[in-house]
Amino acid sequence: MDGSTAGLLVLFVVSLVPLLPTEVTILGMGIEAAQGGTSLALVIAVASAGCLASDQALYALGRFGGRAALDRLSRRKKIAAGLGWLDGRLQRHPRPVLVVARWLPSGGTLGALLAGSLRWPMTEFFTASAVGVTLWTSYVAFLGYAGGRIVTEPGISLLLSLAVALILGSVITYSVKHSAVTAGASPRAGDSATRTP
């Protein structure tokens, strides 16, 4: 097994397991693609497959024990803020909200658990999840790729790509928190899991 194949295997496993550093791994593989180590399309495909499989498992978990899982996750401040934003919007605009949620801290995890606990039709969730993971993994991989093209030193290009991702992620998170406060949304854990669609 060569280094490129091993990297793709690691990428798949990290994308598959919730709360592992998926973004950093995709950025790193995007940089490797920019420097000729592997195909960018393959990086996006592998990361998307891992995230999509993870979403389906989380959706199933949400259907059978969503409230308990959400309560545990929401003890973290950033996750509670994302949950508060999702809480009031998921039933009104489910597909677009699930796509946007990918850019929030642990948004994909929370969105999948909420969708399962609200008992969305599986086909609707799968479609929204597929669109969301493809857009998000492409965005992150392209950031890494751009960093790798601008700066050829892998460590510096990773730092550059991480800085851009952190700035963009912070802007998105701030906007979401601000809109949640403006709308009077309360980031209480597990509220959505008790509602019916």
Side-chain angles (χ1 to χ4, degrees):
M1 181 184 296
D2 61 20
S4 174
T5 305
L8 289 169
L9 182 59
V10 168
L11 173 62
F12 180 76
V13 171
V14 170
S15 301
L16 186 62
V17 180
L19 306 180
L20 285 183
T22 308
E23 187 171 21
V24 175
T25 309
I26 298 172
L27 283 170
M29 291 301 292
I31 291 166
E32 185 179 338
Q35 296 169 356
T38 189
S39 158
L40 182 62
L42 195 53
V43 169
I44 293 168
V46 168
S48 295
C51 289
L52 189 59
S54 177
D55 277 4
Q56 306 321 299
L58 288 165
Y59 171 86
L61 177 63
R63 285 185 79 95
F64 298 105
R67 177 163 185 146
L70 287 167
D71 285 345
R72 278 195 297 275
L73 285 170
S74 66
R75 291 177 190 147
R76 300 180 185 183
K77 263 188 176 180
K78 283 186 178 180
I79 291 179
L83 185 58
W85 183 84
L86 283 167
D87 189 24
R89 292 166 176 80
L90 203 56
Q91 293 185 56
R92 286 180 286 152
H93 308 288
R95 279 170 272 195
V97 166
L98 260 191
V99 171
V100 172
R102 308 280 337 167
W103 278 262
L104 299 175
S106 303
T109 298
L110 293 172
L113 286 169
L114 279 171
S117 67
L118 293 170
R119 301 191 178 277
W120 278 14
M122 187 176 286
T123 52
E124 282 189 31
F125 172 73
F126 183 86
T127 302
S129 171
V131 170
V133 300
T134 303
L135 290 174
W136 182 76
T137 56
S138 299
Y139 151 78
V140 177
F142 275 114
L143 273 183
Y145 186 84
R149 297 295 286 178
I150 294 168
V151 180
T152 56
E153 172 59 43
I156 296 172
S157 56
L158 180 60
L159 288 174
L160 175 66
S161 298
L162 277 171
V164 172
L166 182 63
I167 291 166
L168 292 174
S170 297
V171 168
I172 291 166
T173 302
Y174 173 79
S175 300
V176 164
K177 283 182 183 176
H178 181 70
S179 70
V181 169
T182 303
S186 172
R188 291 183 310 238
D191 284 357
S192 291
T194 62
R195 297 178 186 166
T196 53

